[in-house]
Amino acid sequence: MTNDHAEGAVAAPDTDPGHQRAGNIRDATANTRDVGARLLDLPRRYPVWSRIVGAIVAGLLIYASFPPRACWYLAPLGIALLTLVVRGNGRLRAGFGYGLLAGAAFFVPLLPWTGIYVGPVPWLALSAACAVYVGLFGLLARLVSTRPGWPLWVAAMWTLTEWGRSTFPFGGFPWGRLAFGQADGWYLPLASLAGAPGVSFAVALTGTALAALLLGIADRRRPRWLLGIVTAALVVVIVPGAGLLLRSALPAPDDGIRHITVAAIQGSVPRLGLDFNAQRRAVLDNHVRRTEELALAVAAGQAAQPDVVIWPENSSDIDPLRNADAADEIAAASTAIHAPILVGAVLVNRDSGDSAVTTTNSVIVWNGDAGPGERHDKKIIQPFGEYLPLRGFFRHFSEYADRAGYFVPGHGDGVVHARPAGGGPEVAVGVATCYEVAFDRAFEDSMSAGAQLLTVPTNNATFGDSEMTYQQLAMSRLRAVEHGRALIVAATTGVSAIVTADGAVAQQTPKFVPAALEATVPLRDATTPATRVGPWPERTLCILAAAVVVAVAIRRRMSSSEHPADADAVGDRMGR
């Protein structure tokens, strides 16, 4: 007999299909593990490139959390990834560089509407300026990220740099605050406690805690690693969970001391672009016509009689205080609808003189044939749009420099009073015109003056068919929750909307069509904690962040002076 197992014998091939499949699965599993191991090893083998890619992805995640997308949950993920990228003992300038990359990946796709009609230079310049603040966050985060309690300190650094961007230069540019991407998310109710800064901090803290959780899971050799993991996990769950639980405490949409019916008119414009106001009379006619159509519907019993009508910003770029024809048209519309109209108008301040004529961007209460009443002059005017700082300098970079306006800021309290058509006491309407809604102080002033209802008249015709109007609507929704007020958005080209005090959009219009919205909304006199504390949550966090930076910087300097060789070695190894 032949011994099949004799030395040197050739084994017969395994023809069992089951054995072959099992072998294939084992091979595939081994290959997958090899690929996974190689991927996990990439950050160690290519630390700089891995961080560069991570920074860009982090910025894109934060951008993707903003409207018109409802992916609010991507913001804390983006902050977590950015924190992992910038964290370390290396050179501070590396943290700045990675933050700058993340900022560019965030703001470049967020702000293209700023250059739709003026070319890419203003868009890219503004994006770069905003990205610098994210770079500063990266620098500060790297400075404090190895200290005990670092997730809290890093989140505070985000608050500090977000405040800086919202303040400097030229009054700041708050667009793109983390809070403004949370209108559809769990964090929104937190605005009633600490306003927009509180929401931004909550999102940032969730992200930094998530980063700490991932680091804790990856490195169990650290002392008290389990305590760190549990603490980070609790923060990741509790912070957004608190917002979710707080939603039930927000005012009900119909809660109030009394109710009025409000109409928002969207007259649209002849054409989009910077020269839409070349047909100023057509824009005014559009809003008069749409108001008169609503009046006919009211007379026919097809619509409710409004107590107050709100027109958008720039609905009359012909100064009705100086032009009798414009005044007559507005008065006729107000008389037809039997209600006062809040008219967005451009008012000329001077007719002659050696200097340029200045204007104010105003909202006037127009009472039929009785004419104009109180008015709100826009207090926070837009640099490089409504006015141009350093006009002579910027004229060298863009032919559009001379097209910037000569608007000057107003000095009111942000409230106008209108007598409802149905009778009763005057209504205190808080006004934040267009760009003003991005700034905390606009409605803070209105609330201090007793606003019972909020409105955002806006003109988005100069930004084309872009995401801008949805980003601005999200800000309005946050302001409604922050102050516990119903809010009316009236836009020339859309989106106009009725927003309830819990931040929900009860009605909204499509873009680029004439439309009218009507709703019965409550007037409220109760105030939220956010209204009562005002800017103090943000100030407190900024003071805390600044104190931590100073303390860590002093300690770092003392350590480097005592051990200069060690510090240089660490910088060489970790400068990435």
Side-chain angles (χ1 to χ4, degrees), residues 494-567:
V495 173
S496 301
I498 307 293
V499 181
T500 56
D502 60 355
V505 178
Q507 300 179 43
Q508 73 176 59
T509 64
K511 293 194 292 186
F512 312 128
V513 294
L517 297 178
E518 268 199 316
T520 298
V521 298
L523 304 179
R524 304 187 75 243
D525 57 5
T527 55
T528 64
T531 301
R532 293 192 289 272
V533 300
W536 281 107
E538 183 177 47
R539 289 177 182 174
T540 302
L541 286 169
C542 288
I543 292 171
L544 175 65
V548 171
V549 168
V550 171
V552 173
I554 292 174
R555 184 171 180 177
R556 182 185 178 100
R557 185 173 183 84
M558 292 175 61
S559 176
S560 62
S561 63
E562 292 174 0
H563 307 285
D566 292 344

Side-chain angles (χ1 to χ4, degrees), residues 16-366:
D16 186 339
H19 290 174
Q20 290 180 350
R21 284 195 298 271
N24 291 339
I25 291 173
R26 285 194 298 270
D27 292 343
T29 301
N31 290 335
T32 301
R33 288 174 179 170
D34 290 342
V35 171
R38 286 195 293 269
L39 288 174
L40 291 174
D41 194 46
L42 284 177
R44 185 184 64 81
R45 296 173 60 192
Y46 306 102
V48 174
W49 283 107
S50 297
R51 290 179 187 249
I52 288 174
V53 172
I56 294 172
V57 172
L60 291 174
L61 284 172
I62 299 172
Y63 158 70
S65 71
F66 276 73
R69 295 157 298 278
C71 302
W72 56 271
Y73 46 84
L74 295 180
L77 296 181
I79 294 295
L81 180 56
L82 180 56
T83 301
L84 293 173
V85 167
V86 301
R87 187 174 184 272
N89 287 318
R91 294 169 181 165
L92 298 181
R93 65 173 178 264
F96 177 84
Y98 295 128
L100 187 68
L101 280 175
F106 172 29
F107 284 105
V108 169
L110 186 76
L111 302 175
W113 48 268
T114 60
I116 286 179
Y117 297 111
V118 295
V121 173
W123 160 41
L124 296 177
L126 178 60
S127 299
C130 292
V132 167
Y133 286 94
V134 185
L136 290 174
F137 164 75
L139 184 152
L140 296 175
R142 174 159 284 199
L143 179 66
V144 304
S145 63
T146 58
R147 302 302 172 186
W150 65 265
L152 176 62
W153 313 137
V154 173
M157 297 307 136
W158 185 274
T159 298
L160 179 63
T161 53
E162 199 169 75
W163 167 81
R165 180 168 58 83
S166 302
T167 309
F168 307 104
F170 311 122
F173 186 73
W175 219 277
R177 295 165 79 178
L178 289 180
F180 295 153
Q182 299 300 310
D184 290 301
W186 291 2
Y187 297 91
L188 178 64
L190 297 175
S192 66
L193 296 181
V199 175
S200 288
F201 176 73
V203 174
L205 181 60
T206 305
T208 58
L210 179 58
L213 177 62
L214 295 175
L215 289 171
I217 293 173
D219 187 1
R220 301 182 183 182
R221 295 170 298 176
R222 299 179 182 180
R224 296 183 295 179
W225 64 270
L226 182 59
L227 177 61
I229 288 177
V230 171
T231 302
L234 286 174
V235 173
V236 170
V237 172
I238 289 174
V239 174
L244 189 62
L245 292 174
L246 190 61
R247 183 173 294 277
S248 61
L250 297 179
D254 57 351
D255 282 353
I257 54 175
R258 60 192 177 105
H259 294 73
I260 64 169
T261 300
V262 179
I265 301 298
Q266 178 177 302
S268 199
V269 299
R271 60 180 178 269
L272 301 176
L274 295 179
D275 62 346
F276 82 95
N277 58 0
Q279 297 189 34
R280 296 177 297 171
R281 186 54 181 261
V283 175
L284 173 59
D285 289 346
N286 285 354
H287 288 85
V288 170
R289 184 181 306 111
R290 191 63 190 88
T291 304
E292 291 176 340
E293 289 173 357
L294 177 61
L296 292 175
V298 171
Q302 299 170 350
Q305 169 63 53
D307 291 299
V308 176
V309 177
I310 300 175
W311 283 7
E313 175 191 32
N314 299 129
S315 50
S316 179
D317 274 357
I318 303 172
D319 184 348
L321 303 185
R322 294 173 177 267
N323 186 291
D325 288 344
D328 289 344
E329 276 213 78
I330 296 169
S334 178
T335 300
I337 198 66
H338 302 294
I341 300 176
L342 274 60
V343 179
V346 174
L347 305 182
V348 178
N349 296 322
R350 182 167 50 249
D351 286 326
S352 60
D354 296 333
S355 60
V357 174
T358 63
T359 52
T360 58
N361 190 341
S362 302
V363 172
I364 310 170
V365 180
W366 207 280

